[in-house]
Amino acid sequence: MNFNRNFSVTLIALAIATTSTVAQVKRKPTPSPKTKPVAAALQLRPSLLPTDPGVLIGKLPNGLTYYIRHNEQPKNRAELYLVVKTGSILETDAQQGLAHFTEHMAFNGTRDYPKNELVNYLQKSGVKFGADLNAYTSFDETVYQLPLPTDSASVFTNGFNILANWAGYVSFDASEIDKERGVVLEEARLRGKNSQERLSLQTLPVILNNSKYASRLPIGQESVLKTFDQATIKSFYHDWYRPDLQAIIAVGDFDVKAVEEIIKNKFGLLTNPAGEKPRAVFTVPPTPGTVVKIATDKEFPYTLAQIIVKHPQATVTNTATYMRSLRINLFNYMMSERLNELLQKPEPPYLYARASYASLIAKQDAFSSVVIAKPGDLENAVKTMVAETERARKFGFTLTELERGKQAILVQVQNAYNERDKTNSANFVRDYSKNFLTGEAIPGIEFEYNYIATNINKIGTADMNVLAGQFISDQNRVIIIEGPEKDKDKLPNEKTILGWISTAGAGVTAYVDNVTSRPLMEKTPPRGKIVSETADEAIGTTTLVLENGLKAILKPTKFKNDQIMINGYSFGGTSLASDQDFTSANLAAPIIGGSGIADFNQGQLDKMLAGKNVNVNTYISDITQGISANTTPKDFETAMQLIHLYFTQPRKDEDIWKGNISQTRSILTNRGLDPGSVYQDTISAVLSNYNMRSMVTTLANLNSANLDKAYNFYKDRFSDASGFTFTFVGNFDIDVLKPYIESYLGSLPSTNKKEKYKDLGIHPPAGQLTKTVYKGLDDKATVQMVFSGAYEYNETNNIQLDALEEVMNIKLTERLREQESGVYAPGVRISYAKIPSGRYTATIYFTCGSANVDKLVAATMDEISKLKLNGATPADIQKFVAEEARSTQVQLKENVFWAGYLGGASQNGENPDDILKHVSSLEQITVESTKQTAAKYLNTTNLVKLILMPEKK
């Protein structure tokens, strides 16, 4: 469960604070000089968009709305949602935080499921709390999600009863309320108590113009959460949880008419309260002129600026607003491309920049420009960002840019159309939820595909060039500056920042689009021969071995219509680099792989690939190097050409190298200000026994890195195809792929070095160790307890550790969250590996108040002792088995699972057919086996405790 601040991503992450305001002389948005107004009589009258015929929409006599759709992705599964037009904006002063608290109480007792019985029942049915079963609360809505199997009629039907219980029958037991207070307060601590929260609390009143939204953050007020009584929260629930404000959304593998009858039976009895309160719609009043806010925080590591120009929201309901949304998507794409291109300079003008038009909050849209500057270089960053938006306003976009943008949109909608019968149910649910909450049209992918294909080429540069003039204004504008407190005196004042912005566009010239029409490869490489072919009928794979030694494992599937996933690896990695050359080696793949290929720089390559559905990346990890790619049957050859070129013609770009080194150096400058970063860096150091390869790089190591060494290391790692194994998973015919594999992989050079990785012995230290970091202003502590040791990697041991992980998650949630009310989301993560050597780590983690650390660590150890003494309960084993069986059934129908699984089995030398026995092997989990596993792997012989505490006063 969580509370959701429904802003743009930038606004959530970068909200900041201030010192003053100023009214500006009004300047209306100016149209582009290239665009002439069109007479109203000549404009086509917009028509309403249709509603997707694939969804059944209805309304019960009590006002409850329902959306029902049959969909078989995934098979035998359904997504059930309860959407309520109720959020924190409807709270009274005495109810601040109770919309979110109500969401919590829905999981802590209803008419038919007292206390925690609801969660207990669903876990036994294979639904995982937090991952599957969840909810969120925002300003204007609360949404509950319940994914369920449909191959169990009783579980599926009971799902609707659960939604009905949430909709009208939450108990609000007084004792459960008191227990949940601590949990909600700990959620607030986990998500907040940091520089971002402190700054946003100062900034949001400005962004939201002191409207009610500014004082109704969903998490609420701590004083209210600690003291409200049962009557107050029940009053909120009575007033706002009512059928005329609710929708049921059901999408999945079921009979639509049968589900409609269930909804009528389960929800028809819900009633609206007598004398119901009107559901008021709140707005944010426009701000005359410009408001400037400047803020600093001791722990904030970045310096940034954000310019927000607010506009009335335009909901997509008809052809006119749909076409406008297309133009906005094109505008955002082209602005993003221009700003990203500047990052390829040897001295990039900023660390990050984005300028886009998107929805904001409270029926507002906004054109938001945000830039994160290098330390001490805010003026240059701001002027560069503003200059780019001014360039777009004054000169518009080029025809070649627009055509690339159109191709990108066409590829995206073509993908969705091609996968229309393989679309995940959750995607439909999101669309229907938005339709209910905002009225946004749901015409369906078939209409959208045909409409875009027919109309996108009607959009010309003149249509695009007017947008920047419409978006940019000095009215209803907020400018935010944020930085570290230590740099407070270096930040601009209000007059200075306004001066930077007003002069930034002076002297800008039209954008020049540097494109090339040359093909990636002039000719196809000569084919290498396939020397052996082996079929594995059990899992449907075919293994090819080429004469250069490269191996290819192919698994054709029908899980997706338009997807082929390619992954290749060989052993070696940075383990083969000396400590002296490690930093250069570690930078090799991200920098060389981001420098273009052959004679094409990265900018040219990106433009060449616009309109193609292909993504290829290289990597060099500690023990392997390889390539991962995702493409379609149509663009498969392009992907194979890129893979071939990343092997044979990597590109060395001095500008890209200098730019990356400069960016990394800037990020390191203030990293020590952030408590989370300091804590994470400490964890990395301690758990690697202070091996420099696992620690954050230092400025000294960064300065010693060398492009030539990085380039040569990259070339060496990809010089021998004989050690590589590739996997291909997706919708293809093996005989169709063979010629491409022979040409583009079979022709790769081979030296038969037969290289392996080196085991450098990097793992957690032996013995008991406690490391405490004192960093942070607020009362927020984070704990990690890490058990580790040698491990015999095999399927039997692996499945026992998987069970132990889930059982521990269940027990610690029950103990630390439900019983102690001391944490929000405790977690257990157990990992195990065969290479470079057999090792396991079991990590327990949680965030809490500093005064509760010792108590909660002791409670954790107590639960471990009980597990060692008694083993897991049969009920908890049943929950794990049900969840694992359900998730395995889903994974076996996913390309992404097979791509990872086949590669992992190859690396570990495992029989890939073992996956077919995985569900039956769950019978090995018993009370006794969990007892033995806990005793063996959760012993305190090797236990590292890593604790982050607030700074000592």
Side-chain angles (χ1 to χ4, degrees):
M1 287 174 282
N2 58 61
F3 52 90
N4 177 30
R5 298 187 180 98
N6 189 25
F7 309 145
S8 69
V9 173
T10 304
L11 196 57
I12 298 174
L14 305 174
I16 34 196
T18 183
T19 53
S20 60
T21 65
V22 62
Q24 302 295 307
V25 178
K26 292 187 178 181
R27 185 181 78 192
K28 295 181 180 179
T30 55
S32 165
K34 298 182 180 180
T35 305
K36 295 180 180 179
V38 180
L42 298 179
Q43 297 182 16
L44 293 176
R45 185 175 181 179
S47 59
L48 290 176
L49 294 172
T51 297
D52 185 352
V55 58
L56 173 64
I57 304 176
K59 183 171 286 193
L60 300 181
N62 59 13
L64 183 138
T65 304
Y66 57 84
Y67 300 75
I68 310 173
R69 184 187 188 102
H70 176 80
N71 187 59
E72 297 183 7
Q73 186 64 28
K75 190 77 173 172
N76 298 325
R77 296 290 183 277
E79 296 280 343
L80 308 184
Y81 273 53
L82 168 66
V83 182
V84 191
K85 290 181 179 178
T86 300
S88 58
I89 197 65
L90 298 176
E91 298 166 345
T92 65
D93 289 345
Q95 294 173 334
Q96 291 182 72
L98 298 197
H100 175 235
F101 207 107
T102 296
E103 171 216 312
H104 273 245
M105 293 308 299
F107 296 87
N108 285 276
T110 66
R111 181 193 64 185
D112 299 331
Y113 303 93
K115 299 186 181 297
N116 289 316
E117 283 306 305
L118 187 151
V119 173
N120 190 46
Y121 166 76
L122 288 171
Q123 285 178 327
K124 290 179 180 178
S125 303
V127 179
K128 196 167 185 176
F129 182 56
D132 301 323
L133 174 68
N134 215 325
Y136 79 83
T137 302
S138 187
F139 290 98
D140 285 293
E141 76 269 5
T142 304
V143 178
Y144 299 83
Q145 65 186 58
L146 180 58
L148 285 175
T150 58
D151 52 2
S152 169
S154 61
V155 171
F156 180 59
T157 302
N158 280 340
F160 291 94
N161 190 51
I162 290 170
L163 263 62
N165 272 251
W166 287 338
Y169 308 114
V170 176
S171 302
F172 297 104
D173 178 86
S175 63
E176 292 296 319
I177 289 174
D178 287 338
K179 286 169 60 178
E180 199 65 16
R181 292 182 201 271
V183 175
V184 174
L185 289 168
E186 288 304 323
E187 181 177 0
R189 190 192 311 276
L190 174 66
R191 301 183 187 281
K193 301 291 185 183
N194 53 30
S195 61
Q196 185 176 308
E197 181 186 61
R198 290 191 295 269
L199 293 169
S200 66
L201 288 175
Q202 301 174 64
T203 306
L204 291 179
V206 179
I207 296 172
L208 302 176
N209 198 15
N210 294 306
S211 64
K212 190 175 182 182
Y213 283 95
S215 61
R216 287 298 182 271
L217 295 182
I219 194 59
Q221 295 291 328
E222 186 172 315
S223 59
V224 172
L225 297 174
K226 287 181 175 179
T227 61
F228 75 88
D229 58 21
Q230 184 187 45
T232 303
I233 193 169
K234 291 183 75 171
S235 173
F236 179 87
Y237 185 74
H238 171 270
D239 289 339
W240 304 119
Y241 272 64
R242 60 194 204 216
D244 63 350
L245 295 178
Q246 295 174 333
I248 298 300
I249 303 175
V251 182
D253 190 5
F254 50 65
D255 180 81
V256 169
K257 287 298 181 182
V259 166
E260 185 178 30
E261 287 304 310
I262 294 173
I263 290 174
K264 289 178 178 179
N265 292 333
K266 296 291 184 182
F267 298 90
L269 297 178
L270 295 173
T271 59
N272 295 297
E276 65 180 40
K277 295 181 179 180
R279 202 307 189 180
V281 176
F282 297 89
T283 59
V284 175
T287 304
T290 297
V291 178
V292 177
K293 295 295 265 183
I294 301 170
T296 61
D297 188 90
K298 181 180 179 182
E299 296 174 358
F300 193 68
Y302 301 109
T303 303
L304 63 86
Q306 186 172 14
I307 304 169
I308 305 165
V309 182
K310 294 175 282 185
H311 297 270
Q313 189 173 76
T315 301
V316 176
T317 57
N318 56 38
T319 52
T321 50
Y322 193 90
M323 284 297 289
R324 184 174 186 271
S325 72
L326 274 180
R327 291 193 294 271
I328 289 172
N329 284 338
L330 287 166
F331 176 89
N332 290 345
Y333 174 87
M334 291 186 287
M335 283 303 309
S336 176
E337 291 295 295
R338 287 188 179 185
L339 292 170
N340 287 339
E341 193 173 274
L342 294 176
L343 289 173
Q344 295 169 15
K345 290 188 173 184
E347 283 295 333
Y350 40 68
L351 295 176
Y352 168 86
R354 193 189 77 173
S356 63
Y357 191 90
S359 62
L360 188 61
I361 192 175
K363 299 188 181 301
Q364 295 181 110
D365 291 335
F367 178 61
S368 177
S369 306
V370 61
V371 64
I372 301 178
K374 297 178 181 179
D377 200 27
L378 182 62
E379 179 178 1
N380 181 42
V382 169
K383 286 185 174 180
T384 302
M385 176 187 68
V386 174
E388 288 307 312
T389 60
E390 279 296 292
R391 193 189 314 276
R393 187 178 70 84
K394 290 181 177 181
F395 301 100
F397 298 97
T398 67
L399 181 61
T400 49
E401 286 180 289
L402 179 58
E403 288 307 310
R404 284 199 303 275
K406 289 178 182 179
Q407 288 301 312
I409 288 179
L410 285 169
V411 164
Q412 186 178 31
V413 74
Q414 178 82 58
N415 287 349
Y417 180 75
N418 289 345
E419 302 291 358
R420 61 193 181 280
D421 63 334
K422 303 288 177 66
T423 301
N424 195 286
S425 293
N427 293 356
F428 291 112
V429 170
R430 285 191 288 270
D431 289 343
Y432 302 156
S433 178
K434 199 167 186 180
N435 174 261
F436 176 68
L437 293 169
T438 70
E440 183 169 300
I442 44 174
I445 186 57
E446 291 190 13
F447 173 87
E448 292 195 62
Y449 170 71
N450 288 310
Y451 187 85
I452 292 173
T454 302
N455 292 282
I456 195 167
N457 284 328
K458 297 176 183 178
I459 300 174
T461 54
D463 300 298
M464 295 305 307
N465 295 347
V466 73
L467 288 182
Q470 293 174 349
F471 295 163
I472 299 170
S473 173
D474 56 13
Q475 296 301 305
N476 203 14
R477 181 174 70 170
V478 175
I479 299 172
I480 297 166
I481 305 295
E482 177 176 326
E485 186 175 298
K486 68 182 182 63
D487 294 338
K488 185 174 184 178
D489 294 340
K490 301 175 185 177
L491 295 178
N493 59 27
E494 181 179 310
K495 181 179 179 180
T496 300
I497 186 64
L498 289 172
W500 291 353
I501 292 171
S502 65
T503 60
V508 295
T509 56
Y511 176 78
V512 177
D513 197 12
N514 180 18
V515 295
T516 178
S517 59
R518 289 181 298 151
L520 268 177
M521 299 181 70
E522 297 290 345
K523 59 182 180 179
T524 303
R527 290 188 186 182
K529 293 181 180 179
I530 295 173
V531 297
S532 73
E533 179 173 336
T534 307
D536 185 337
E537 295 181 1
I539 59 172
T541 62
T542 297
T543 300
L544 309 176
V545 178
L546 288 90
E547 62 182 344
N548 62 358
L550 184 144
K551 180 189 294 186
I553 303 171
L554 290 77
K555 180 174 174 59
T557 73
K558 298 297 182 183
F559 307 144
K560 288 286 186 181
N561 298 322
D562 212 27
Q563 183 183 64
I564 300 176
M565 304 185 76
I566 310 168
N567 291 282
Y569 80 90
S570 68
F571 288 123
T574 57
S575 70
L576 301 185
S578 66
D579 285 352
Q580 182 179 359
D581 292 340
F582 170 75
T583 303
S584 298
N586 202 39
L587 292 171
I591 294 183
I592 303 302
S595 297
I597 48 176
D599 297 327
F600 306 105
N601 65 36
Q602 190 62 41
Q604 292 171 325
L605 181 61
D606 290 340
K607 293 172 183 178
M608 289 173 65
L609 297 177
K612 291 187 179 294
N613 204 326
V614 58
N615 182 37
V616 178
N617 294 291
T618 62
Y619 70 87
I620 302 176
S621 69
D622 53 347
I623 59 173
T624 61
Q625 55 274 333
I627 286 192
S628 62
N630 200 326
T631 188
T632 63
K634 177 183 175 182
D635 292 318
F636 180 75
E637 183 170 14
T638 300
M640 295 297 283
Q641 289 177 338
L642 288 167
I643 291 171
H644 183 91
L645 290 171
Y646 278 123
F647 269 87
T648 60
Q649 297 185 61
R651 187 172 181 274
K652 182 164 59 173
D653 190 318
E654 188 76 29
D655 288 352
I656 296 292
W657 175 266
K658 289 180 178 178
N660 274 270
I661 296 297
S662 174
Q663 299 288 75
T664 305
R665 188 180 291 117
S666 296
I667 291 171
L668 289 174
T669 300
N670 289 324
R671 184 174 174 85
L673 298 179
D674 176 51
S677 296
V678 173
Y679 179 56
Q680 189 56 54
D681 293 349
T682 303
I683 291 173
S684 299
V686 172
L687 294 185
S688 66
N689 256 323
Y690 294 90
N691 190 296
M692 57 87 66
R693 294 170 182 253
S694 296
M695 296 167 63
V696 173
T697 190
T698 63
L699 286 173
N701 287 337
L702 192 66
N703 292 335
S704 70
N706 179 280
L707 173 58
D708 289 333
K709 286 183 178 180
Y711 181 70
N712 291 333
F713 186 79
Y714 177 98
K715 287 183 66 177
D716 182 62
R717 291 298 82 226
F718 290 89
S719 64
D720 181 15
S722 68
F724 273 83
T725 297
F726 274 80
T727 60
F728 296 80
V729 178
N731 187 15
F732 57 78
D733 182 284
I734 291 177
D735 289 335
V736 172
L737 257 59
K738 281 181 181 178
Y740 297 109
I741 292 173
E742 289 172 325
S743 292
Y744 295 108
L745 299 185
S747 61
L748 292 175
S750 176
T751 61
N752 292 301
K753 287 190 288 187
K754 301 187 184 303
E755 282 187 319
K756 296 286 285 184
Y757 50 81
K758 290 182 180 178
D759 182 3
L760 302 179
I762 303 174
H763 52 70
Q768 296 186 358
L769 173 67
T770 298
K771 180 71 174 181
T772 303
V773 176
Y774 294 94
K775 185 73 174 177
L777 301 175
D778 289 315
D779 183 14
K780 182 176 184 176
T782 303
V783 176
Q784 284 197 22
M785 304 168 63
V786 182
F787 301 81
S788 67
Y791 181 66
E792 183 181 351
Y793 183 100
N794 58 53
E795 177 64 12
T796 299
N797 288 342
N798 295 352
I799 206 165
Q800 293 293 339
L801 280 185
D802 291 343
L804 179 63
E805 177 184 88
E806 182 56 22
V807 168
M808 283 299 299
N809 271 309
I810 293 170
K811 302 319 293 183
L812 292 183
T813 297
E814 291 175 352
R815 178 68 181 271
L816 305 187
R817 174 177 165 137
E818 304 301 335
Q819 182 178 330
E820 303 287 347
S821 298
V823 304
Y824 170 64
V828 180
R829 182 179 62 253
I830 299 180
S831 61
Y832 40 80
K834 183 177 183 179
I835 52 177
S837 60
R839 299 283 306 181
Y840 83 93
T841 59
T843 304
I844 298 169
Y845 53 92
F846 54 84
T847 297
C848 63
S850 57
N852 291 330
V853 167
D854 291 342
K855 180 182 75 171
L856 295 174
V857 168
T860 299
M861 296 304 297
D862 183 50
E863 289 302 315
I864 291 173
S865 296
K866 292 177 183 176
L867 199 53
K868 291 178 179 179
L869 182 64
N870 304 314
T873 65
D876 287 345
I877 293 173
Q878 178 189 348
K879 292 174 184 177
F880 165 72
V881 170
E883 291 170 3
E884 185 70 10
R886 294 287 186 191
S887 65
T888 300
Q889 291 170 5
V890 172
Q891 288 177 329
L892 289 175
K893 299 294 184 181
E894 294 177 336
N895 288 336
V896 67
F897 166 77
W898 282 104
Y901 174 75
L902 292 173
S906 174
Q907 289 189 25
N908 289 321
E910 298 172 289
N911 182 358
D913 294 0
D914 288 346
I915 188 62
L916 302 178
K917 300 180 290 185
H918 181 69
V919 173
S920 62
S921 67
L922 297 175
E923 298 175 358
Q924 300 173 18
I925 310 300
T926 64
V927 173
E928 182 60 29
S929 74
T930 58
K931 176 181 175 180
Q932 294 178 4
T933 303
K936 183 174 183 179
Y937 297 108
L938 296 179
N939 69 78
T940 57
T941 302
N942 297 331
L943 172 57
V944 178
K945 297 177 185 176
L946 299 143
I947 304 170
L948 173 65
M949 295 285 279
E951 297 167 13
K952 296 180 179 179
K953 304 298 183 181

